[in-house]
Amino acid sequence: MTVHHESEPKLYRYSRIVCGVSTHVLCAVFTGFITVLAKPGSSLFSWHPFLMTLGFSFFMTEAVLLFNPYSSPVRKLKHKTKGRLHWILQCLCVCCATAGLCAIVYNKNLNDKPHFTSWHGLVGVITVCVVGLQSLGGLPLLYPKLAKGWSLAKLKRYHATSGLLTFLLGSVSLFLGLCSSWFSDSVSGSVWYLAGFCPVLCALVVMSQVTNAYMARKRMQY
């Protein structure tokens, strides 16, 4: 794989590096922006946008970018070590998402409001369940003894595909959160569009990373 990257045109390689580094920066800036806006601890509700953004925008994005061959901060580590770090970040994502879900459910109970009546709520609760299952699905890759009768190569491909779908669900959930009355009342104009650009760009970069990795493996087979 290293030889393949070195044989690529410099412009292509540099553009990939810029996209990857920009995604690292964007997911951190976006998370920081929502944190400042939500002011976690100021109310029970404030924990919901903070924890969900921390989980889906930061931890989940960084978990995937660990495997980015151009901008991973740990690209020199062994793949097995990257896998363990990936799983740890995914578990942190699950913890944040679960806590964020509990916060909004409890807040709605206190205010006698119905649950999951919006697309944001429905997609959000589905995403929390799916990301939990996705993390469990990664265990056979960490501990191959659990994958009895299964090809590890196929499991990796299935995990990557379902992981991409999970990431896209998380991105959609974040974007729908930006359409909520809380966020729309807090920001307006160009700030809203800049904020909406962050999960969209992160999703595009991750899609490109996963599909390119799969195509690279296909080329190596032939």
Side-chain angles (χ1 to χ4, degrees):
M1 293 296 288
T2 303
V3 175
H4 172 68
H5 291 150
E6 289 177 350
S7 65
E8 291 171 345
K10 286 186 177 181
L11 182 60
Y12 177 84
R13 192 163 67 249
Y14 291 153
S15 65
R16 289 286 180 178
I17 293 173
V18 170
C19 284
V21 173
S22 298
T23 307
H24 282 292
V25 174
L26 272 179
C27 73
V29 170
F30 180 72
T31 303
F33 173 67
I34 297 297
T35 300
V36 171
L37 204 63
K39 299 176 182 177
S42 59
S43 66
L44 179 59
F45 171 82
S46 67
W47 289 107
H48 174 69
F50 165 68
L51 288 169
M52 288 301 195
T53 306
L54 181 62
F56 292 135
S57 176
F58 187 74
F59 286 134
M60 189 162 67
T61 303
E62 290 299 328
V64 178
L65 292 179
L66 283 177
F67 296 108
N68 190 300
Y70 301 95
S71 61
S72 171
V74 295
R75 62 181 177 275
K76 293 184 178 180
L77 296 180
K78 294 180 180 179
H79 186 81
K80 186 176 181 180
T81 305
K82 290 180 185 177
R84 293 187 183 280
L85 291 174
H86 170 80
W87 193 76
I88 290 171
L89 289 175
Q90 280 295 105
C91 286
L92 289 173
C93 170
V94 173
C95 291
C96 287
T98 303
L101 178 63
C102 290
I104 192 63
V105 168
Y106 187 49
N107 184 69
K108 283 182 176 290
N109 283 338
L110 290 178
N111 293 282
D112 293 322
K113 291 184 177 180
H115 299 287
F116 315 123
T117 57
S118 66
W119 280 110
H120 171 60
L122 289 171
V123 174
V125 71
I126 291 172
T127 305
V128 173
C129 295
V130 171
V131 77
L133 292 173
Q134 178 70 10
S135 296
L136 290 175
L139 285 175
L141 299 178
L142 287 178
Y143 306 101
K145 289 183 179 180
L146 298 175
K148 294 179 180 179
W150 286 85
S151 165
L152 283 179
K154 286 185 177 180
L155 281 178
K156 286 180 181 180
R157 188 161 63 247
Y158 295 152
H159 184 71
T161 303
S162 60
L164 175 58
L165 295 175
T166 302
F167 189 90
L168 293 177
L169 266 178
S171 299
V172 170
S173 181
L174 285 173
F175 188 82
L176 290 174
L178 301 182
C179 300
S180 66
S181 56
W182 170 77
F183 190 80
S184 298
D185 292 341
S186 301
V187 300
S188 59
S190 59
V191 177
W192 190 95
Y193 289 101
L194 286 172
F197 175 72
C198 292
V200 172
L201 180 64
C202 289
L204 291 174
V205 171
V206 168
M207 284 177 64
S208 176
Q209 175 184 320
V210 174
T211 53
N212 282 337
Y214 175 72
M215 292 305 295
R217 292 192 185 98
K218 293 291 286 185
R219 286 194 295 268
M220 288 180 69
Q221 290 175 359
Y222 295 103

